[in-house]
Amino acid sequence: MNLLEGKVAIVTGATRGIGKGILESFVAQGATVIFTYISSGSASEDLVNKYGDKVIGYQSDATDFDAAYKLVDDVMEKFGQIDIVVNNAGITKDNLLMRMSHEDWQKVIRVNLDSAFNLTKAVLRPMLKQRKGSIINITSIVGITGNAGQANYAASKAGMIGFTKSIAQELGSRNIRCNAIAPGFIETAMTEKLDQKVVEEWRNNIPLKRGGSPEDVANACLFLASDMASYITGQVVSVDGGLHM
Ligand code: NAP
């Protein structure tokens, strides 16, 4: 099946982890993917070497409002359409509130939440003209449940959910859908830094008894990006092995 044949997608932060998984599943289903990164130049080159003209790597800081417009302008000039946007770039700077610096609060909000505003705003005009589009925001179950030691991250991800539902309401009449995916514990570079004992405990608490893979998230993203989800908007799809029900 080529679910995304002829479609053009932008995926932010796709040099590794979940973003890379999304890129790979989109390409496998026929899409052309423009992906961003900030410092992983060599990982970006590897992807371009592997997938040729089906992917374009673009060094673009997701926190930069003007850079989002430049990205969209460049993609429109080259392809004349943008069908899918996945706001995936994200970071953690965990600490208890007592020890959390103002800088770490702001950095996480900027990378995780401002970034979604920046690119969604930039892509609005072309999608409105096309009268179609699918915007997918990668939030987290932590944005639904909260998490001690992640007040900044949880706030940014909860913000993304409110943003998603609002955009879905504003743009539904123009056939632009906006959904969120809330991954649970997905094993990527972001989670490699964690204490392995804690990781084992997490796995045991998950009904499906394993951490998720980038591919698990990518499969949900593929569905929401495709026309198979043409009547689905404003939803938060959890991909968490049943952790949050
Ligand atoms: P990751 O492995 O750390 O990868 C993050 C990606 O984002 C990298 O490609 C990175 O590129 C890029 N990036 C970071 N800051 C950026 C910026 N300012 N502008 C553009 N790109 C930037 O992360 P991940 O675990 O795959 O997570 C991806 C998303 O899923 C995040 O939004 C995260 O919050 C969410 N999530 C993850 C989990 C999990 O368990 N892993 C669970 C729930 C939600 P550079 O290397 O060039 O910086």
Side-chain angles (χ1 to χ4, degrees):
M1 249 194 303
N2 270 345
L3 287 175
L4 303 183
E5 195 60 53
K7 298 208 189 259
V8 176
I10 299 178
V11 182
T12 64
T15 47
R16 58 171 187 269
I18 291 172
K20 186 178 173 193
I22 293 169
L23 174 149
E24 291 183 323
S25 83
F26 280 14
V27 170
Q29 293 290 330
T32 299
V33 180
I34 297 83
F35 68 94
T36 68
Y37 62 95
I38 189 160
S39 59
S40 309
S42 74
S44 161
E45 273 174 32
D46 290 347
L47 284 169
V48 173
N49 289 335
K50 188 167 176 189
Y51 294 109
D53 60 5
K54 291 307 280 182
V55 303
I56 298 179
Y58 207 100
Q59 188 175 28
S60 180
D61 185 346
T63 66
D64 185 333
F65 183 75
D66 295 332
Y69 276 83
K70 168 94 176 74
L71 170 65
V72 166
D73 285 350
D74 287 358
V75 175
M76 284 306 288
E77 201 181 309
K78 191 162 172 55
F79 297 101
Q81 68 188 83
I82 300 172
D83 305 286
I84 304 154
V85 164
V86 183
N87 289 307
N88 166 77
I91 57 163
T92 52
K93 295 232 172 261
D94 299 350
N95 224 330
L96 294 173
L97 184 59
M98 191 98 86
R99 295 198 204 110
M100 188 177 288
S101 66
H102 186 217
E103 197 189 342
D104 281 355
W105 168 268
Q106 285 187 315
K107 177 94 189 158
V108 168
I109 299 290
R110 273 205 296 267
V111 177
N112 297 1
L113 185 56
D114 288 11
S115 60
F117 168 78
N118 295 343
L119 189 54
T120 305
K121 180 104 172 120
V123 85
L124 211 55
R125 197 183 289 262
M127 281 192 176
L128 283 170
K129 269 199 191 154
Q130 291 166 187
R131 285 198 150 260
K132 68 173 173 138
S134 174
I135 298 164
I136 301 161
N137 295 321
I138 307 299
T139 174
S140 165
I141 48 161
V142 162
I144 303 169
T145 62
N147 196 25
Q150 290 197 305
N152 50 0
Y153 184 75
S156 71
K157 296 299 185 180
M160 268 187 135
I161 293 174
F163 180 69
T164 299
K165 289 173 183 275
S166 306
I167 297 311
Q169 288 175 33
E170 282 186 32
L171 301 178
S173 64
R174 309 296 182 94
N175 197 28
I176 298 169
R177 300 181 293 106
C178 185
N179 292 288
I181 293 177
F185 175 54
I186 307 299
E187 304 204 23
T188 67
M190 193 183 251
T191 55
E192 262 168 27
K193 316 175 217 164
L194 299 166
D195 181 333
Q196 284 313 297
K197 261 196 199 152
V198 176
V199 167
E200 205 42 52
E201 251 172 60
W202 282 1
R203 288 192 190 113
N204 284 332
N205 283 333
I206 297 168
L208 287 179
K209 299 294 171 207
R210 66 170 177 90
S213 66
E215 200 188 352
D216 290 321
V217 181
N219 286 336
C221 199
L222 174 62
F223 170 66
L224 290 174
S226 77
D227 294 340
M228 287 180 80
S230 60
Y231 200 51
I232 300 178
T233 195
Q235 303 304 307
V236 182
V237 178
S238 292
V239 180
D240 64 359
L243 190 58
H244 174 74
M245 296 192 193

